[in-house]
Amino acid sequence: MARQTAFSVKPQDELFMARALTLARRGQALASPNPMVGAVLVRDRRIVGEGFHTYDGLRHAEIIALEAAGGDARHATLYVNFEPCCHQGRTPPCTRALISAGVARVVAAMADPNPAVAGRGFRQLRAAGVEVELVEKFQEKSRRLNEAFAMWITKRRPFVTLKSAMTLDGQLVLPKSRWITSEASRAEVQLMRHASDALLTGIGTVLADDPKLTDRTGLPRRRRLLRVVLDSRLRLSPRSKLVRGARHDVLVFTRASSAGARARTLRRAGLEIVTLPERAGKLDLQAALRELARREIHSVLLEAGPTLNEAALNLDLVDKLRFFYAPKLAGSCSSSRGLHRIAAGSNKSAARAGARLRELSGMRVEPFGPDFAVEAYLRDVYQR
């Protein structure tokens, strides 16, 4: 791992690191399957070049900043949220370009989580006489920004976020009501979809709600949000909104024959049908995530009902929870199985699965209009 260099964070360091993170976020939905990186070159307390990475743009953020700075890059300080690359991939190493340009100092927020790379870029820079410093104050923000990349590069599986909306007494469905949460919460969910490579749901949710499951932010993205449905018996209707709105961006996992009439109809509508093996009489959810990882899907937003949520939790496949609570009480609602089914499943199924009390970390609470969202992690993706 990279050696941490202790130094006093100056106001200008905070200012320019914050700018680098702001630039990095502009790569959301554009950089995947690469990490989101922003770079700012500063000389004499003046920004002389900056940039952020997009996958299709090829050039890394550091290179864009160097090109903008030109000769002013010599003796400048580079502020970057992610360790500069040191290997030949789709592009040449950024470390070599920084050294050649005469950059004097690199201030970074985090090391590359790739075990085969982490710290090598910093070591190459130091060996060439470049001063390297890690700003611990910005490490958490940078890690959150690239947690999906870190999961894929270290575990070769997608980072899974379980999202749910509910009343204060844990109900998922309200009688005679379409929405539980406010418009502000629903807008935030759209931003979550925009930040994700894929959205995963079960056929039960599709049959009950007939949703579109699209990214409706209007923000640019490199590839369409992949909408994934677990449908064991292939009950998805060709007349559903999901099918009618398919643009080769709907993937259905099933155990039904891929050569059947329903499968042929769905394929003609632009859907992809993939047969998965069974696990304990149900679709193998782990196999589904492995297939998504093979397709370089780094982040999956789980928007489903209690059954699929419970299965994902019991299999320890969920990395982060984000629950949106509305200031409402539903009381006894027969159409919902409630929060206890999301969090740990029923008592009987939890006992059969040997469920344990789980410690969550990094909990945050944010207001969204009259609602509030609780976010917490089930694991630290950066812990080796």
Side-chain angles (χ1 to χ4, degrees):
M1 294 295 294
R3 174 172 56 89
Q4 298 275 341
T5 301
F7 72 104
S8 177
V9 181
K10 303 177 180 63
Q12 62 264 29
D13 291 326
E14 293 195 22
L15 175 67
F16 297 128
M17 276 302 304
R19 175 60 182 166
L21 279 165
T22 296
L23 287 168
R25 292 187 191 97
R26 290 173 62 181
Q28 198 167 72
L30 297 172
S32 181
N34 284 353
M36 287 177 274
V37 182
V40 179
L41 273 169
V42 176
R43 182 172 171 178
D44 298 326
R45 300 190 178 186
R46 180 175 61 89
I47 294 177
V48 295
E50 62 181 26
F52 66 96
H53 175 63
T54 60
Y55 188 84
D56 289 341
L58 286 179
R59 295 175 301 164
H60 288 187
E62 299 94 322
I63 303 303
I64 296 172
L66 286 173
E67 291 176 354
D72 285 337
R74 184 161 298 278
H75 306 305
T77 294
L78 172 72
Y79 293 88
V80 64
N81 64 295
F82 202 85
E83 178 180 3
C85 69
C86 58
H87 59 284
Q88 177 72 47
R90 297 169 73 226
T91 61
C94 287
T95 50
R96 183 189 306 164
L98 293 169
I99 293 167
S100 297
V103 171
R105 178 175 175 242
V106 171
V107 179
M110 65 175 287
D112 189 331
N114 186 346
V117 176
R120 285 180 54 206
F122 292 145
R123 288 194 292 273
Q124 284 189 11
L125 291 169
R126 288 191 178 106
V130 179
E131 183 182 357
V132 177
E133 297 165 338
L134 287 178
V135 186
E136 292 185 1
K137 181 174 181 178
F138 288 90
Q139 185 179 74
E140 182 182 356
K141 289 183 179 179
S142 187
R143 284 184 167 186
R144 281 179 177 265
L145 193 63
N146 283 304
E147 58 197 10
F149 172 80
M151 175 62 76
W152 190 86
I153 203 68
T154 58
K155 305 293 194 304
R156 281 300 191 271
R157 77 166 181 83
F159 184 92
V160 178
T161 299
L162 191 162
K163 166 264 166 187
S164 190
M166 64 192 76
T167 61
L168 290 179
D169 53 347
Q171 299 296 340
L172 307 180
V173 179
L174 292 179
K176 300 180 181 179
S177 176
R178 184 179 180 188
W179 304 112
I180 291 179
T181 52
S182 67
E183 185 177 344
S185 290
R186 299 197 299 274
E188 179 65 16
V189 171
Q190 287 297 319
L191 290 175
M192 292 176 68
R193 289 183 182 182
H194 179 71
S196 302
D197 293 332
L199 187 154
L200 176 64
T201 194
I203 187 60
T205 297
V206 176
L207 293 177
D209 301 335
D210 193 21
K212 294 180 180 179
L213 302 177
T214 51
D215 170 6
R216 296 190 286 278
T217 61
L219 298 172
R221 56 184 308 137
R222 189 178 74 85
R223 49 186 178 178
R224 297 176 70 91
L225 175 68
L226 181 65
R227 295 171 287 168
V228 185
V229 182
L230 297 184
D231 185 3
S232 296
R233 292 179 285 160
L234 213 54
R235 294 183 288 159
L236 182 60
S237 170
R239 295 183 297 275
S240 66
K241 292 177 183 177
L242 193 65
V243 175
R244 286 188 285 118
R247 298 294 184 271
H248 300 284
D249 56 356
V250 178
L251 170 64
V252 179
F253 287 123
T254 185
R255 61 184 179 185
S257 171
S258 60
R262 177 60 65 88
R264 293 197 300 271
T265 298
L266 293 175
R267 277 198 294 270
R268 284 197 297 270
L271 280 69
E272 183 177 2
I273 312 298
V274 174
T275 301
L276 283 185
E278 293 183 358
R279 183 187 180 100
K282 298 180 180 180
L283 280 178
D284 190 338
L285 186 52
Q286 291 174 315
L289 290 179
R290 285 196 297 270
E291 173 60 21
L292 293 178
R294 187 187 68 78
R295 297 167 183 241
E296 293 193 321
I297 297 295
H298 287 189
S299 53
V300 171
L301 181 61
L302 179 57
E303 285 195 53
T307 301
L308 182 51
N309 289 343
E310 178 185 355
L313 285 165
N314 285 342
L315 289 170
D316 198 23
L317 299 177
V318 177
D319 302 294
K320 182 165 70 173
L321 303 172
R322 201 165 190 210
F323 291 166
F324 289 81
Y325 289 94
K328 301 173 183 176
L329 294 176
S332 177
C333 183
S334 60
S335 58
S336 169
R337 284 175 280 181
L339 175 61
H340 67 284
R341 288 280 286 167
I342 294 181
S346 66
N347 291 336
K348 290 183 179 179
S349 64
R352 285 197 301 270
R356 65 189 186 279
L357 184 65
R358 304 185 189 193
E359 293 288 341
L360 303 180
S361 63
M363 191 175 81
R364 296 194 304 174
V365 179
E366 294 180 84
F368 291 98
D371 311 329
F372 67 93
V374 177
E375 178 184 280
Y377 289 82
L378 280 83
R379 63 170 58 82
D380 181 358
V381 64
Y382 293 96
Q383 189 173 2
R384 299 287 170 80

